[in-house]
Amino acid sequence: MYICVCRGVTDSAIREAVNNGAERMRDLKNCLGVTEQCGICACHTKEVLDQARTQKAQLCSLLPETTCLTTEQPEETNYERGYRNYSVA
């Protein structure tokens, strides 16, 4: 489902960003561009962010510590590179 129509961001993209280390609204704004234009999507974005963070925490609690994803990221991931070059016409 589209969460940010201005930037064409879906709930799946937000969940993927959380799995790749996004923890805050600011992180989603930086990597996906949500809330940068009209801002109407902020409430729904926050809901999806909270749900995705909860799911990630539950998953990590079930797995051994060494297999859980950390919030540390390399300089720039392929995910970030793709969204950095993304533009809406």
Side-chain angles (χ1 to χ4, degrees):
M1 170 174 49
Y2 280 96
I3 301 297
C4 177
V5 178
C6 297
R7 295 290 185 168
V9 178
T10 63
D11 60 330
S12 299
I14 294 171
R15 292 177 199 286
E16 184 180 344
V18 170
N19 288 332
N20 286 326
E23 293 284 326
R24 303 170 296 169
M25 288 289 288
R26 182 180 300 161
D27 299 332
L28 295 177
K29 183 177 181 179
N30 290 337
C31 70
L32 299 175
V34 294
T35 72
E36 283 187 340
Q37 290 188 350
C38 73
I40 293 173
C41 63
C43 289
H44 296 295
T45 300
K46 179 76 169 123
E47 287 177 20
V48 175
L49 172 65
D50 291 342
Q51 290 171 359
R53 288 180 63 207
T54 300
Q55 289 172 349
K56 182 178 176 182
Q58 289 172 348
L59 178 63
C60 284
S61 71
L62 297 174
L63 298 174
E65 253 184 68
T66 56
T67 61
C68 286
L69 298 174
T70 64
T71 57
E72 296 176 19
Q73 295 181 7
E75 273 184 26
E76 185 177 60
T77 64
N78 288 336
Y79 176 81
E80 291 169 332
R81 200 172 294 118
Y83 280 100
R84 180 174 43 97
N85 295 326
Y86 181 81
S87 63
V88 177

